[in-house]
Amino acid sequence: MFLALLELRAARGRFLLMGSVVVLVAALVGIVSGFTTGLGDDTISALRRLPAAQLVFSSDARSDQFARSLLDERTAAAWRKDAGTDMTPLGVSITRGTTDRGAEVDLAAFGVEPDSFLSPSVTQGDGLADASADSIVMSAELADEGVQVGDILVIDRLGIELHVIGLTERSSYGHVPAAYVPLQTWQRIRFSTPGSPASAATAIPDQFNALALRTPAKASTADLDKRHSTTTLTKEKAYEAAPGYTGERVTMNSIQVFLYLIAPLVVGAFFAVWTVQRQPELALLRALGASRRRLLAHTVLQAALVVVLGTTAGAVLAGAVGLLVGEQVPFSLPATTLAGTMCTVAAVGLAGTALTLRRVTEADPLTMLGANR
């Protein structure tokens, strides 16, 4: 250990350079991980907070189910009879509106039955239970955009007026803040034709996007789906129905994988060159009686110090970036995610040093004893 530390001190410039590369790689992996988590939360946090175990969609909607699936009350009644679990309709659509104070906002409207288990809890104001049909509960994200309890929100092009009666936890769908309205109001937003008179509301169909099951169905979902022409997905599987979720995850995870591949190659290349340059010193140590195991421990210790210290500094840098960007961009880096990411970076970095271990064990003591003369 003394010799390892002595070499680190003697060649501190080289090791600082390598350590800086490890810091930047670790920080980049941490930042990408933060954006991956943040983008995922910004896309599906409203779905993740739904107190549902499964979601039932129409069978003809095989992708983007929240936009393409439509069910009716007849299907819902049949499912209630056969599934043996509590369920409620759910509608989801993205729209935009303007408050009476001039704030223009985009929102993901979630249509729920006011007395159902999907009705959101509120952090300010009142909930949807016992509220009028023109009520709306909004995500706290919209408060940052100027929406306040008591405002009147007018849905653009439809002229539907909604009274903001409460705020709930921060949640979003498809990078748009979520808002919760009674199901009948959602149906007006979803199916109304811009410019149509108010009397046309009687022609609005009694349909919705999905059925939310509080607990898994007691009967076989495959049999129920076949019987009622539906498709049942777990809530986690239904995340893929959110717009852009799958593409974003594939893109960001691909970047992370490439960074995990780059880290061992960079670390391994540095220590391979370093080992070649140290061949005379390693041969001298062998001639003085040092065992191969001791030389291996000597090399691994140097690599571990560089990689672990560099990764730790990279984690601090990634965390600082998260604090710097704040809520300006979708960035989320919980301590558990950061720790797991940095442990992976350190592990693959140390794996790269395995490329150099063979040269360490092949150091020939006869080199220093004049065997090449």
Side-chain angles (χ1 to χ4, degrees), residues 322-343:
L323 294 176
L324 182 63
V325 298
E327 297 177 356
Q328 300 175 8
V329 295
F331 186 94
S332 176
L333 193 58
T336 53
T337 302
L338 179 60
T341 301
M342 293 302 106
C343 287

Side-chain angles (χ1 to χ4, degrees), residues 14-26 28-29 257-275 303 306-307 310-311 345-356:
R14 297 178 186 180
F15 284 103
L16 283 175
L17 178 61
M18 185 57 213
S20 299
V21 174
V22 175
V23 169
L24 293 177
V25 172
L28 185 56
V29 173
V257 169
F258 277 109
L259 290 174
Y260 287 140
L261 294 176
I262 290 171
L265 294 178
V266 171
V267 175
F270 171 81
F271 279 98
V273 173
W274 176 244
T275 302
V306 173
V307 171
T311 302
V345 173
V348 298
L350 289 174
T353 63
L355 301 173
T356 69

Side-chain angles (χ1 to χ4, degrees), residues 31-42:
I31 292 170
V32 171
S33 179
F35 279 119
T36 301
T37 305
L39 287 170
D41 288 344
D42 208 43

Side-chain angles (χ1 to χ4, degrees), residues 77-267:
W79 259 88
R80 288 190 183 95
K81 179 180 178 181
D82 297 339
T85 184
D86 191 11
M87 64 179 62
T88 185
L90 171 66
V92 182
S93 60
I94 296 178
T95 185
R96 61 181 295 115
T98 305
T99 68
D100 53 351
R101 294 186 297 106
E104 298 180 355
V105 294
D106 295 320
L107 63 148
F110 278 65
V112 300
E113 294 287 359
D115 296 325
S116 71
F117 60 87
L118 292 184
S119 185
S121 59
V122 295
T123 57
Q124 180 181 344
D126 300 320
L128 291 177
D130 301 324
S132 60
D134 61 352
S135 301
I136 182 171
V137 173
M138 290 188 156
S139 165
E141 290 183 44
L142 288 168
D144 300 336
E145 300 183 25
V147 180
Q148 299 178 4
V149 175
D151 287 352
I152 297 177
L153 178 73
V154 180
I155 302 300
D156 291 355
R157 300 191 305 162
L158 300 178
I160 299 174
E161 292 188 356
L162 303 173
H163 294 80
V164 181
I165 62 171
L167 296 178
T168 186
E169 294 179 329
R170 302 177 70 88
S171 59
S172 56
Y173 169 81
H175 304 298
V176 178
Y180 300 84
V181 297
L183 184 62
Q184 291 182 349
T185 302
W186 176 85
Q187 290 168 342
R188 291 176 59 200
I189 296 173
R190 173 67 173 80
F191 299 112
S192 292
T193 302
S196 61
S199 59
T202 56
I204 293 176
D206 185 16
Q207 294 179 324
F208 37 86
N209 294 134
L211 283 170
L213 281 63
R214 175 177 284 183
T215 57
K218 296 180 180 179
S220 169
T221 55
D223 293 340
L224 292 173
D225 286 336
K226 185 176 181 180
R227 188 183 311 166
H228 304 301
S229 298
T230 57
T231 300
T232 303
L233 302 176
T234 63
K235 184 174 68 172
E236 291 73 18
K237 188 65 176 178
Y239 294 162
E240 298 177 6
Y245 178 75
T246 301
E248 289 174 355
R249 298 287 292 184
V250 170
T251 300
M252 302 305 291
N253 287 334
S254 298
I255 295 174
Q256 279 189 288
V257 169
F258 277 109
L259 290 174
Y260 287 140
L261 294 176
I262 290 171
L265 294 178
V266 171
V267 175

